[in-house]
Amino acid sequence: MPTSRVRRHLASTLTFALTLSTLCLATGPAVAYDGAGAAKYADKYAIENNTPAYPIFGGDCTNFVSQAAHIGGKYPFRNAYTNASSDKSWWIKGAGTHNDDFRWANAWAAADGYYRFLIADNPGGHPAGTAPGSSTDYWTPDKVTAGDVLFYDWGQGEGVSHASMQVGHGVDPSSPGWKGNYVDQHTTNRYHAFWSLKPYNAAWATTTIYFMDIDAAN
């Protein structure tokens, strides 16, 4: 084969290989969940509410965390607008439309439902251990980072009944003697509260905290 034809053949082969490699990379799993974005949303609406775009519940903690995970974190709805009571459904209907005609899945607004949903979903979330409400440790587990969720069982027979979102670390502005990882939450609305909530929780002695690492592939 003449030298020029060999060069053209090699160039063509290389181009094809590079194109195939690019296609293979493009079809790999996408990293979608944005924990930093979820934390940014939580910081913005920790004290105020994103109304009228979203409803406010009497117990608003999980509605708030769900908003942060979905809007800021880009965690997609599951089984949108169907099977509202299923542990595999997570959605709200009417959000962003500035009206009062809202509907939602149980997991969107109930802490125990959201906890079960994250375990049932694929890839969902991964339990990352527990801690007592009496904890004064600076840090949550290494796997728990900005945009991950903490669930609380007050030990009053109701099971998991509160959720917050970890957003960073530093000094709790409302309890300056408390320093370490902190969370944003609703009910009561708090910005950068120490993660165990011990400064605020009258039931700290009976509380168990469940850490949930949200999979980055959601």
Side-chain angles (χ1 to χ4, degrees):
M1 183 181 293
T3 302
S4 59
R5 290 182 62 189
V6 171
R7 288 174 177 167
R8 287 198 299 271
H9 176 73
L10 289 173
S12 177
T13 302
L14 179 59
T15 299
F16 174 77
L18 288 172
T19 301
L20 181 61
S21 174
T22 302
L23 288 171
C24 289
L25 288 172
T27 57
V31 176
Y33 185 67
D34 180 0
K40 183 177 180 180
Y41 180 96
D43 274 352
K44 182 176 181 179
Y45 292 106
I47 302 302
E48 61 185 66
N49 298 296
N50 187 4
T51 56
Y54 283 86
I56 304 172
F57 295 82
D60 197 55
C61 61
T62 310
N63 174 49
F64 166 69
V65 170
S66 288
Q67 288 177 43
H70 177 62
I71 304 171
K74 305 298 188 293
Y75 197 124
F77 288 161
R78 300 291 198 238
N79 296 319
Y81 317 134
T82 63
N83 302 319
S85 61
S86 171
D87 287 346
K88 294 186 177 182
S89 296
W90 183 72
W91 50 265
I92 187 167
K93 186 177 177 63
T97 58
H98 297 267
N99 64 54
D100 295 326
D101 186 22
F102 295 106
R103 293 191 296 116
W104 53 86
N106 176 66
W108 181 272
D112 60 337
Y114 189 37
Y115 179 80
R116 293 194 303 270
F117 162 76
L118 286 171
I119 294 175
D121 194 30
N122 184 20
H126 309 290
T130 65
S134 60
S135 182
T136 60
D137 291 344
Y138 280 14
W139 312 116
T140 57
D142 290 344
K143 289 184 178 180
V144 181
T145 58
D148 287 336
V149 183
L150 280 65
F151 293 93
Y152 303 77
D153 178 349
W154 307 127
Q156 309 299 308
E158 298 177 351
V160 170
S161 55
H162 182 63
S164 70
M165 176 167 283
Q166 183 163 304
V167 294
H169 66 274
V171 175
D172 181 334
S174 298
S175 296
W178 294 79
K179 181 171 65 175
N181 285 121
Y182 46 51
V183 298
D184 292 337
Q185 68 161 42
H186 278 190
T187 324
T188 302
N189 293 8
R190 298 192 188 281
Y191 172 82
H192 291 184
F194 184 75
W195 66 268
S196 75
L197 302 182
K198 187 179 179 185
Y200 313 102
N201 177 16
W204 59 264
T206 59
T207 295
T208 301
I209 303 161
Y210 298 84
F211 301 103
M212 186 70 69
D213 167 32
I214 299 183
D215 198 299
N218 285 291

